[in-house]
Amino acid sequence: MTEDAILQGCLQNNTTAQRELYQRYSPKMLSVCYRFAHNREDAEDMLQEGFIKVFSQIHTFQNKGAFEGWIRRIIVHTCINHLKKNKKFNESVDIIHATTIQVREESVPSIVQAKQVVECIRLLPIGYRTVLNLYAVEGYSHKEIAEMLDIEESTSRSQYTRARQMLEDILVKKKIIQKPKEKISWLGMAAGQ
């Protein structure tokens, strides 16, 4: 079935089209949910809730942009709402780790051993993990994240910075990346010498 045929079928509540849409997009969307969820069961709950919204709101899709992107936005918002509803976003955050390691953008791998990196992201406190996923993976701005999560924009920025720092620390400890070499000053000497 083509994407357009699936869309038209879903608009007419055709169960074959709905099954095809779910089978086509649920694996990708489950991975989105998994990044936000505490465990697989929570991810599956988020996915089911998200697809219920997709099917109930499919009439609002206006063919402006990709259909998969529209589905993904619904899934991401469903994940955020699920976290808020279950008060998981407000869990306390350990800030001690936030200043333990210096971060350099190039030291955080982009593709290297993606599955291990995702597992490490899941080790972050829920607030850090949520902001990191929304900003670095989903591409939302800090302003949009602040509105979504009912937090200050500066809180989004600081949680993202702390998440990057903590993620780097975890990646180094698990030997997925090497610890950054000491910072070099503009004179070419090690800082502090």
Side-chain angles (χ1 to χ4, degrees), residues 156-180:
S156 175
R157 289 180 191 285
S158 66
Q159 292 238 328
Y160 174 69
T161 299
R162 291 172 181 158
R164 279 188 10 229
Q165 291 171 338
M166 188 179 282
L167 178 60
E168 183 173 335
D169 192 26
I170 292 168
L171 293 170
V172 167
K173 284 179 183 172
K174 291 188 173 277
K175 298 183 185 330
I176 295 170
I177 64 169
Q178 292 180 0
K179 187 169 184 167

Side-chain angles (χ1 to χ4, degrees), residues 16-107:
T16 303
Q18 290 172 331
R19 186 177 310 110
E20 179 69 26
L21 182 137
Y22 185 82
Q23 289 175 344
R24 183 174 292 185
Y25 295 108
S26 65
K28 285 182 184 176
M29 298 307 134
L30 181 59
S31 67
V32 170
C33 295
Y34 192 65
R35 286 195 323 266
F36 288 95
H38 183 66
N39 55 45
R40 185 165 181 88
E41 292 79 27
D42 284 351
E44 289 171 352
D45 288 348
M46 291 171 177
L47 180 72
Q48 295 306 317
E49 193 177 321
F51 268 97
I52 289 169
K53 289 178 184 177
V54 166
F55 290 126
S56 68
Q57 296 176 13
I58 201 155
H59 66 280
T60 65
F61 178 66
Q62 300 175 352
N63 280 321
K64 295 179 180 173
F67 185 49
E68 183 177 336
W70 180 82
I71 293 170
R72 185 183 197 101
R73 273 191 302 283
I74 289 174
I75 297 294
V76 167
H77 284 276
T78 301
C79 292
I80 298 302
N81 290 336
H82 184 54
L83 293 173
K84 284 173 152 181
K85 180 173 66 178
N86 294 311
K87 306 256 190 266
K88 292 187 176 179
F89 184 74
N90 294 327
E91 292 176 357
S92 63
V93 176
D94 182 3
I95 299 180
I96 295 170
H97 296 288
T99 58
T100 60
I101 197 163
Q102 177 191 351
V103 174
R104 292 196 335 236
E105 236 11 91
E106 66 272 13
S107 66

Side-chain angles (χ1 to χ4, degrees), residues 142-153:
H142 288 294
K143 183 177 182 180
E144 292 168 318
I145 295 168
E147 290 170 5
M148 270 190 218
L149 302 179
D150 297 321
I151 60 175
E152 295 294 322
E153 188 174 338

Side-chain angles (χ1 to χ4, degrees), residues 126-145:
I126 191 73
Y128 289 2
R129 180 172 69 223
T130 302
V131 172
L132 180 76
N133 279 321
L134 289 171
Y135 184 78
V137 180
E138 299 299 330
Y140 288 96
S141 70
H142 288 294
K143 183 177 182 180
E144 292 168 318
I145 295 168

